[in-house]
Amino acid sequence: MKVDMRQFLESFFDEASEHIENMEAALLQLESTPDDTELLNTIFRAAHSIKGASSTFGVHGVGEFTHVLESLLDRMRDGEIQVTSETTEVLLASVDVLSGLLSAARDGTAEPTNTAEVVARLEEINGGKSSHASGDDDQPAEAAAEPSSGVYDVLFRPSSHFFHLGLDPLLLLRDLEECGTVSEMKLDWSQLPSIAEMDPESSYLAWTLTLQSDRDESELQDVFMFVDDETTVEFNKPEPPAAEEPVADEQEETTAIAKADGKAPAAKASGTLQRESVRVNGERLDSMINQIGELVIGISMVEQEWAEISGGTDSAAIVQLSKIVRDLQEQSLSLRMVPVAATFQKMARIVRDLSNRLGKKINFEVSGEETELDKTVVDQIGDPLIHMIRNSVDHGIETPEKRVAAGKPAEGHISVRAYHQGGNIFIELKDDGKGMDLDRIRQKAIDRGIVHKDDKLSQQEICELVFHAGLSTAEQVTDVSGRGVGMDVVRRNIEELKGSVTLNSQPGIGTTVTVRLPLTLAILDGLLISLGSEVYVIPLLSVVESFRPRKNEVKRLANNMDVVQVRGEVVPILHLHSILNITEAQSDPCQGLLVIVEDHDTKFALLVDDLIGQQQAVIKNLEANFRKVNGIAGATILGDGRVALILDIVSLKSLTR
Amino acid sequence: MANTALVVDDSTSMRQMVSFTLRDSGFEVIEAGNGEEALKNVAGKDVKVVVTDLNMPVMDGMTLIRRLRADAKFKFTPILMLTTESQDSKKQEGRAAGATGWIVKPFNPEQLMQVINKVVR
């Protein structure tokens, strides 16, 4: 039988990474609850599964390493070795090594350089106790070392409960027959009770036979490897063996047994492989999702053309098809969705490592880790989140002494939470640290000419100054404000994902950073508006309201800026047509419509000719096909085949200033 | 009618490998990811041999073996457990629970079939 083990490797790797994630999560929990034996069991089970499978599938480096790891875990589980910060440390390092070894085997990356060191530390904790299994006493009877073979007198007396172990004496006798020539087989029924006393499920019989075989005794014993302790199996040599060649004593696993089975394997797999997950190249997936996006546009075009031809009567077939296409699109987009759990776990690890190093006590709390996001978003949000969590641990949370002095519990608290709200995902990072020094930040901003010293800034506005490139790249600000290095980069990264970040800090009480992210980058709910003969899409998320203002509500300021009064609030008007160079569009707000949009709590009004309606837009990246255009987030194709540009509210906002 | 085997392992890759090997040898295979699922999936079916992992969530292999043995239908069915070499005590425990034999990890498909051929023909 030749089975290609590679076909199971993908599953193995997927599974192993999952186990590693579970191990890491459990280890991090174990630190705060060292008495939780179930956590140790979880960790052990994960290591155990990786070990068993990795050796089987030929990933030996991983197998050997897990073996050492498992020995230690086993003793920890038995309570022989206590859970200490040292053991946790080493176990976490082991998780890293394991993960490195696996990616080395999977992707051909370099093997972790500290493997030997971690193995040494594991063995040290394990008290130098040999991590290898002590001698195999698998053989029920002692395997005679005599290499000779010849004629044996064999006695075989199954135990009374032989059948209850699923064993069958007949099979064993047949196996024995295949090892050589059996002669003089005798049935011993002397132990058979009277019919009245007989239990038909018990075994009362024994056999004696003479076996001529060229195999040595240990090989013959292998036939009986599964019999229980109460079963008698004896091999006796009645006379000195005739001269024959000694058979090499093969040191094989106990599974390597009588090789007499001549059965030819079935030529082809008779069953189908069951798969629970399939790994797909990201590009292929993207291309498929893109094609399905085209399909959505296609069906819209068909709908529109049909409407023109039929004069408004529905076609059942088109309605049906349209529904299928839209379901298909929804499903295809969900293929890209992954939970944020892995990212949160990385954060947990960083909180742990960093707080240990800094001598801080931090209780890290995670919720909503099952919340799903587009894989691209998850991949790209990792770094900004980690940057922010570092800030919280490093600069936000005070040392235990300082906390106690400030009347707070010695243990700091950081929480990260993900949740859905109105088509967005929010990730909220909250600490109860010392907060930011608002006066110093303000002073720095004034020194750098970012704000004027007479500017009245709200607390919120001062907080958000750290997102300013001029402030956040300044090294001194780190020392002063405790936050800031790279926060401009963080914000830029998040905005590239069509998301936003807000920050609020209260001195002495703590800091909260909230990141808003779109569910997916591939599609958005848009409000279609007309401007002259053109159609544009405004992301619906940014839209607050739309209305036609009355004459007295619109005012022109001294700097030629038009504003509109909405329920007492003054909102600047952006003449879209002049920004976009559209001549025949409406220039009087009172003749057209104003769409109020919002970004980071700043509102402004877009002057448009008319609203067309709402539509899901499949976003086509403009940069990939053309170049980046200020004010435009991308393009989409409308039902009638026309191209419409999607407005980028974030970059339009800068034009209002 | 083909012989049916019950394969129980929480590791998908191991389960796939064992099932594939058995199917390749002409078995029909019922799969399960843990003991509880195994009992559910095997209910009312005739099974020639059981191959089960020991460490599993929800219901481990040891409990599964005991539960199977307590069922008249599985009184004499060969039950093989997948073990690792360091688990001699587990073999004893397994034997006490009613296991027929064991397959030591790591193993390859040939070794697996050799062991299975020892207990079912």
Side-chain angles (χ1 to χ4, degrees), chain A residues 383-416:
Chain A
D383 284 347
L385 284 178
I386 279 163
H387 185 90
M388 290 189 281
I389 200 98
R390 270 182 196 284
N391 272 350
S392 274
V393 179
D394 192 5
H395 311 304
I397 302 285
E398 316 89 326
T399 56
E401 304 81 60
K402 279 192 183 154
R403 288 183 64 89
V404 172
K408 294 195 215 178
E411 191 181 58
H413 188 264
I414 299 180
S415 66
V416 53

mmCIF file of all heavy atoms in Angstrom, chain A residues 383-416:
data_model
loop_
_atom_site.group_PDB
_atom_site.id
_atom_site.type_symbol
_atom_site.label_atom_id
_atom_site.label_comp_id
_atom_site.label_asym_id
_atom_site.label_seq_id
_atom_site.Cartn_x
_atom_site.Cartn_y
_atom_site.Cartn_z
ATOM 1 N N ASP A 383 -0.927 45.634 13.120
ATOM 2 C CA ASP A 383 0.183 46.492 13.545
ATOM 3 C C ASP A 383 -0.275 47.746 14.296
ATOM 4 O O ASP A 383 0.249 48.030 15.371
ATOM 5 C CB ASP A 383 1.054 46.872 12.346
ATOM 6 C CG ASP A 383 1.941 45.700 11.936
ATOM 7 O OD1 ASP A 383 2.028 44.735 12.736
ATOM 8 O OD2 ASP A 383 2.517 45.743 10.844
ATOM 9 N N PRO A 384 -1.247 48.476 13.749
ATOM 10 C CA PRO A 384 -1.709 49.638 14.515
ATOM 11 C C PRO A 384 -2.214 49.262 15.908
ATOM 12 O O PRO A 384 -1.914 49.950 16.883
ATOM 13 C CB PRO A 384 -2.851 50.195 13.655
ATOM 14 C CG PRO A 384 -2.529 49.767 12.284
ATOM 15 C CD PRO A 384 -1.850 48.439 12.412
ATOM 16 N N LEU A 385 -2.952 48.160 16.005
ATOM 17 C CA LEU A 385 -3.481 47.774 17.319
ATOM 18 C C LEU A 385 -2.350 47.439 18.273
ATOM 19 O O LEU A 385 -2.370 47.810 19.447
ATOM 20 C CB LEU A 385 -4.415 46.564 17.180
ATOM 21 C CG LEU A 385 -5.792 46.850 16.608
ATOM 22 C CD1 LEU A 385 -6.586 45.565 16.484
ATOM 23 C CD2 LEU A 385 -6.552 47.841 17.478
ATOM 24 N N ILE A 386 -1.362 46.734 17.742
ATOM 25 C CA ILE A 386 -0.252 46.351 18.601
ATOM 26 C C ILE A 386 0.532 47.590 19.038
ATOM 27 O O ILE A 386 0.975 47.700 20.185
ATOM 28 C CB ILE A 386 0.619 45.304 17.883
ATOM 29 C CG1 ILE A 386 -0.081 43.962 18.062
ATOM 30 C CG2 ILE A 386 2.034 45.260 18.433
ATOM 31 C CD1 ILE A 386 0.358 42.904 17.142
ATOM 32 N N HIS A 387 0.643 48.516 18.135
ATOM 33 C CA HIS A 387 1.302 49.767 18.486
ATOM 34 C C HIS A 387 0.571 50.447 19.646
ATOM 35 O O HIS A 387 1.182 50.914 20.605
ATOM 36 C CB HIS A 387 1.318 50.690 17.270
ATOM 37 C CG HIS A 387 2.076 51.943 17.514
ATOM 38 N ND1 HIS A 387 3.417 52.047 17.256
ATOM 39 C CD2 HIS A 387 1.687 53.132 18.020
ATOM 40 C CE1 HIS A 387 3.813 53.257 17.595
ATOM 41 N NE2 HIS A 387 2.783 53.937 18.054
ATOM 42 N N MET A 388 -0.748 50.452 19.536
ATOM 43 C CA MET A 388 -1.517 51.154 20.572
ATOM 44 C C MET A 388 -1.481 50.413 21.911
ATOM 45 O O MET A 388 -1.444 51.038 22.968
ATOM 46 C CB MET A 388 -2.946 51.357 20.088
ATOM 47 C CG MET A 388 -2.999 52.380 18.965
ATOM 48 S SD MET A 388 -4.659 52.850 18.520
ATOM 49 C CE MET A 388 -5.144 51.478 17.529
ATOM 50 N N ILE A 389 -1.476 49.081 21.835
ATOM 51 C CA ILE A 389 -1.459 48.336 23.094
ATOM 52 C C ILE A 389 -0.095 48.518 23.776
ATOM 53 O O ILE A 389 0.004 48.614 24.994
ATOM 54 C CB ILE A 389 -1.801 46.851 22.882
ATOM 55 C CG1 ILE A 389 -2.257 46.222 24.194
ATOM 56 C CG2 ILE A 389 -0.636 46.023 22.379
ATOM 57 C CD1 ILE A 389 -3.721 46.150 24.306
ATOM 58 N N ARG A 390 0.947 48.604 22.971
ATOM 59 C CA ARG A 390 2.273 48.877 23.528
ATOM 60 C C ARG A 390 2.272 50.209 24.256
ATOM 61 O O ARG A 390 2.783 50.331 25.361
ATOM 62 C CB ARG A 390 3.295 48.971 22.403
ATOM 63 C CG ARG A 390 3.938 47.670 22.063
ATOM 64 C CD ARG A 390 4.969 47.909 20.961
ATOM 65 N NE ARG A 390 5.335 46.660 20.345
ATOM 66 C CZ ARG A 390 6.135 45.774 20.902
ATOM 67 N NH1 ARG A 390 6.656 46.017 22.089
ATOM 68 N NH2 ARG A 390 6.408 44.636 20.312
ATOM 69 N N ASN A 391 1.679 51.191 23.611
ATOM 70 C CA ASN A 391 1.581 52.507 24.231
ATOM 71 C C ASN A 391 0.887 52.422 25.577
ATOM 72 O O ASN A 391 1.334 53.005 26.554
ATOM 73 C CB ASN A 391 0.785 53.456 23.328
ATOM 74 C CG ASN A 391 1.682 54.150 22.330
ATOM 75 O OD1 ASN A 391 2.907 54.060 22.433
ATOM 76 N ND2 ASN A 391 1.082 54.820 21.374
ATOM 77 N N SER A 392 -0.229 51.669 25.599
ATOM 78 C CA SER A 392 -0.996 51.561 26.837
ATOM 79 C C SER A 392 -0.158 50.948 27.948
ATOM 80 O O SER A 392 -0.145 51.430 29.072
ATOM 81 C CB SER A 392 -2.230 50.683 26.626
ATOM 82 O OG SER A 392 -3.279 51.462 26.145
ATOM 83 N N VAL A 393 0.542 49.874 27.622
ATOM 84 C CA VAL A 393 1.324 49.184 28.649
ATOM 85 C C VAL A 393 2.521 50.035 29.048
ATOM 86 O O VAL A 393 2.819 50.233 30.217
ATOM 87 C CB VAL A 393 1.809 47.810 28.131
ATOM 88 C CG1 VAL A 393 2.652 47.121 29.199
ATOM 89 C CG2 VAL A 393 0.627 46.941 27.761
ATOM 90 N N ASP A 394 3.192 50.548 28.031
ATOM 91 C CA ASP A 394 4.444 51.243 28.277
ATOM 92 C C ASP A 394 4.205 52.598 28.955
ATOM 93 O O ASP A 394 4.800 52.909 29.978
ATOM 94 C CB ASP A 394 5.161 51.424 26.936
ATOM 95 C CG ASP A 394 6.592 51.881 27.123
ATOM 96 O OD1 ASP A 394 7.034 51.956 28.283
ATOM 97 O OD2 ASP A 394 7.269 52.162 26.128
ATOM 98 N N HIS A 395 3.308 53.371 28.379
ATOM 99 C CA HIS A 395 3.134 54.746 28.870
ATOM 100 C C HIS A 395 1.843 54.974 29.649
ATOM 101 O O HIS A 395 1.785 55.859 30.477
ATOM 102 C CB HIS A 395 3.160 55.720 27.691
ATOM 103 C CG HIS A 395 4.315 55.499 26.779
ATOM 104 N ND1 HIS A 395 5.616 55.512 27.218
ATOM 105 C CD2 HIS A 395 4.381 55.234 25.452
ATOM 106 C CE1 HIS A 395 6.436 55.284 26.199
ATOM 107 N NE2 HIS A 395 5.714 55.103 25.119
ATOM 108 N N GLY A 396 0.829 54.206 29.337
ATOM 109 C CA GLY A 396 -0.463 54.459 29.970
ATOM 110 C C GLY A 396 -0.516 53.966 31.408
ATOM 111 O O GLY A 396 -0.711 54.743 32.340
ATOM 112 N N ILE A 397 -0.313 52.673 31.563
ATOM 113 C CA ILE A 397 -0.422 52.072 32.895
ATOM 114 C C ILE A 397 0.809 52.438 33.736
ATOM 115 O O ILE A 397 1.937 52.298 33.283
ATOM 116 C CB ILE A 397 -0.538 50.544 32.790
ATOM 117 C CG1 ILE A 397 -1.750 50.155 31.934
ATOM 118 C CG2 ILE A 397 -0.582 49.893 34.164
ATOM 119 C CD1 ILE A 397 -3.086 50.304 32.603
ATOM 120 N N GLU A 398 0.544 52.875 34.959
ATOM 121 C CA GLU A 398 1.638 53.268 35.846
ATOM 122 C C GLU A 398 2.198 52.045 36.556
ATOM 123 O O GLU A 398 1.596 50.979 36.543
ATOM 124 C CB GLU A 398 1.148 54.267 36.907
ATOM 125 C CG GLU A 398 0.247 55.380 36.413
ATOM 126 C CD GLU A 398 -1.216 55.000 36.428
ATOM 127 O OE1 GLU A 398 -1.538 53.821 36.190
ATOM 128 O OE2 GLU A 398 -2.056 55.889 36.665
ATOM 129 N N THR A 399 3.338 52.227 37.201
ATOM 130 C CA THR A 399 3.897 51.142 38.013
ATOM 131 C C THR A 399 2.976 50.919 39.209
ATOM 132 O O THR A 399 2.255 51.836 39.621
ATOM 133 C CB THR A 399 5.303 51.518 38.528
ATOM 134 O OG1 THR A 399 5.187 52.740 39.249
ATOM 135 C CG2 THR A 399 6.277 51.685 37.385
ATOM 136 N N PRO A 400 3.017 49.706 39.793
ATOM 137 C CA PRO A 400 2.115 49.424 40.926
ATOM 138 C C PRO A 400 2.237 50.451 42.046
ATOM 139 O O PRO A 400 1.232 50.887 42.610
ATOM 140 C CB PRO A 400 2.572 48.042 41.395
ATOM 141 C CG PRO A 400 3.185 47.410 40.197
ATOM 142 C CD PRO A 400 3.781 48.510 39.379
ATOM 143 N N GLU A 401 3.468 50.880 42.317
ATOM 144 C CA GLU A 401 3.663 51.849 43.415
ATOM 145 C C GLU A 401 2.931 53.152 43.109
ATOM 146 O O GLU A 401 2.222 53.698 43.956
ATOM 147 C CB GLU A 401 5.153 52.145 43.631
ATOM 148 C CG GLU A 401 6.037 50.931 43.890
ATOM 149 C CD GLU A 401 6.413 50.203 42.603
ATOM 150 O OE1 GLU A 401 7.040 50.826 41.739
ATOM 151 O OE2 GLU A 401 6.085 49.008 42.469
ATOM 152 N N LYS A 402 3.139 53.624 41.873
ATOM 153 C CA LYS A 402 2.515 54.891 41.506
ATOM 154 C C LYS A 402 0.996 54.779 41.529
ATOM 155 O O LYS A 402 0.300 55.721 41.904
ATOM 156 C CB LYS A 402 2.972 55.320 40.115
ATOM 157 C CG LYS A 402 4.332 55.996 40.134
ATOM 158 C CD LYS A 402 4.621 56.668 38.802
ATOM 159 C CE LYS A 402 6.022 57.278 38.813
ATOM 160 N NZ LYS A 402 6.569 57.384 37.459
ATOM 161 N N ARG A 403 0.516 53.612 41.112
ATOM 162 C CA ARG A 403 -0.930 53.432 41.092
ATOM 163 C C ARG A 403 -1.499 53.476 42.494
ATOM 164 O O ARG A 403 -2.496 54.139 42.762
ATOM 165 C CB ARG A 403 -1.291 52.104 40.418
ATOM 166 C CG ARG A 403 -1.072 52.093 38.914
ATOM 167 C CD ARG A 403 -1.508 50.775 38.307
ATOM 168 N NE ARG A 403 -2.938 50.575 38.469
ATOM 169 C CZ ARG A 403 -3.845 51.002 37.600
ATOM 170 N NH1 ARG A 403 -3.457 51.647 36.505
ATOM 171 N NH2 ARG A 403 -5.118 50.806 37.809
ATOM 172 N N VAL A 404 -0.809 52.752 43.388
ATOM 173 C CA VAL A 404 -1.276 52.731 44.779
ATOM 174 C C VAL A 404 -1.241 54.143 45.358
ATOM 175 O O VAL A 404 -2.184 54.593 46.012
ATOM 176 C CB VAL A 404 -0.428 51.752 45.615
ATOM 177 C CG1 VAL A 404 -0.775 51.874 47.092
ATOM 178 C CG2 VAL A 404 -0.661 50.322 45.127
ATOM 179 N N ALA A 405 -0.139 54.857 45.036
ATOM 180 C CA ALA A 405 -0.009 56.227 45.532
ATOM 181 C C ALA A 405 -1.141 57.110 45.009
ATOM 182 O O ALA A 405 -1.585 58.036 45.677
ATOM 183 C CB ALA A 405 1.345 56.797 45.114
ATOM 184 N N ALA A 406 -1.603 56.800 43.791
ATOM 185 C CA ALA A 406 -2.677 57.608 43.203
ATOM 186 C C ALA A 406 -4.055 57.112 43.641
ATOM 187 O O ALA A 406 -5.071 57.576 43.146
ATOM 188 C CB ALA A 406 -2.563 57.575 41.681
ATOM 189 N N GLY A 407 -4.050 56.146 44.555
ATOM 190 C CA GLY A 407 -5.317 55.638 45.073
ATOM 191 C C GLY A 407 -6.026 54.664 44.138
ATOM 192 O O GLY A 407 -7.230 54.461 44.233
ATOM 193 N N LYS A 408 -5.256 54.080 43.238
ATOM 194 C CA LYS A 408 -5.854 53.087 42.341
ATOM 195 C C LYS A 408 -5.384 51.688 42.747
ATOM 196 O O LYS A 408 -4.377 51.544 43.435
ATOM 197 C CB LYS A 408 -5.366 53.336 40.904
ATOM 198 C CG LYS A 408 -5.814 54.633 40.281
ATOM 199 C CD LYS A 408 -5.566 54.523 38.774
ATOM 200 C CE LYS A 408 -5.147 55.831 38.175
ATOM 201 N NZ LYS A 408 -4.861 55.687 36.736
ATOM 202 N N PRO A 409 -6.078 50.649 42.293
ATOM 203 C CA PRO A 409 -5.566 49.296 42.567
ATOM 204 C C PRO A 409 -4.200 49.110 41.899
ATOM 205 O O PRO A 409 -3.929 49.699 40.849
ATOM 206 C CB PRO A 409 -6.608 48.378 41.939
ATOM 207 C CG PRO A 409 -7.458 49.230 41.079
ATOM 208 C CD PRO A 409 -7.353 50.633 41.592
ATOM 209 N N ALA A 410 -3.345 48.315 42.523
ATOM 210 C CA ALA A 410 -1.989 48.134 42.015
ATOM 211 C C ALA A 410 -2.008 47.539 40.609
ATOM 212 O O ALA A 410 -1.144 47.815 39.785
ATOM 213 C CB ALA A 410 -1.203 47.217 42.950
ATOM 214 N N GLU A 411 -3.035 46.713 40.371
ATOM 215 C CA GLU A 411 -3.102 46.073 39.069
ATOM 216 C C GLU A 411 -3.836 46.969 38.075
ATOM 217 O O GLU A 411 -4.961 47.390 38.337
ATOM 218 C CB GLU A 411 -3.831 44.728 39.186
ATOM 219 C CG GLU A 411 -3.719 43.884 37.951
ATOM 220 C CD GLU A 411 -4.471 42.562 38.097
ATOM 221 O OE1 GLU A 411 -5.678 42.581 38.343
ATOM 222 O OE2 GLU A 411 -3.828 41.519 37.950
ATOM 223 N N GLY A 412 -3.166 47.255 36.964
ATOM 224 C CA GLY A 412 -3.794 48.062 35.936
ATOM 225 C C GLY A 412 -4.779 47.226 35.137
ATOM 226 O O GLY A 412 -4.783 46.001 35.210
ATOM 227 N N HIS A 413 -5.600 47.903 34.381
ATOM 228 C CA HIS A 413 -6.602 47.184 33.610
ATOM 229 C C HIS A 413 -6.600 47.692 32.181
ATOM 230 O O HIS A 413 -6.701 48.888 31.935
ATOM 231 C CB HIS A 413 -7.976 47.397 34.262
ATOM 232 C CG HIS A 413 -9.037 46.546 33.662
ATOM 233 N ND1 HIS A 413 -9.873 47.003 32.677
ATOM 234 C CD2 HIS A 413 -9.370 45.251 33.877
ATOM 235 C CE1 HIS A 413 -10.692 46.024 32.324
ATOM 236 N NE2 HIS A 413 -10.404 44.949 33.030
ATOM 237 N N ILE A 414 -6.446 46.763 31.252
ATOM 238 C CA ILE A 414 -6.558 47.139 29.843
ATOM 239 C C ILE A 414 -7.604 46.232 29.236
ATOM 240 O O ILE A 414 -7.598 45.019 29.472
ATOM 241 C CB ILE A 414 -5.222 46.961 29.084
ATOM 242 C CG1 ILE A 414 -4.132 47.850 29.688
ATOM 243 C CG2 ILE A 414 -5.400 47.277 27.599
ATOM 244 C CD1 ILE A 414 -2.789 47.723 28.991
ATOM 245 N N SER A 415 -8.522 46.799 28.490
ATOM 246 C CA SER A 415 -9.496 45.937 27.848
ATOM 247 C C SER A 415 -9.534 46.255 26.362
ATOM 248 O O SER A 415 -9.305 47.382 25.942
ATOM 249 C CB SER A 415 -10.880 46.118 28.472
ATOM 250 O OG SER A 415 -11.346 47.412 28.204
ATOM 251 N N VAL A 416 -9.779 45.231 25.585
ATOM 252 C CA VAL A 416 -9.973 45.437 24.165
ATOM 253 C C VAL A 416 -11.269 44.738 23.796
ATOM 254 O O VAL A 416 -11.560 43.639 24.260
ATOM 255 C CB VAL A 416 -8.760 44.953 23.336
ATOM 256 C CG1 VAL A 416 -8.405 43.533 23.659
ATOM 257 C CG2 VAL A 416 -9.027 45.106 21.844
#
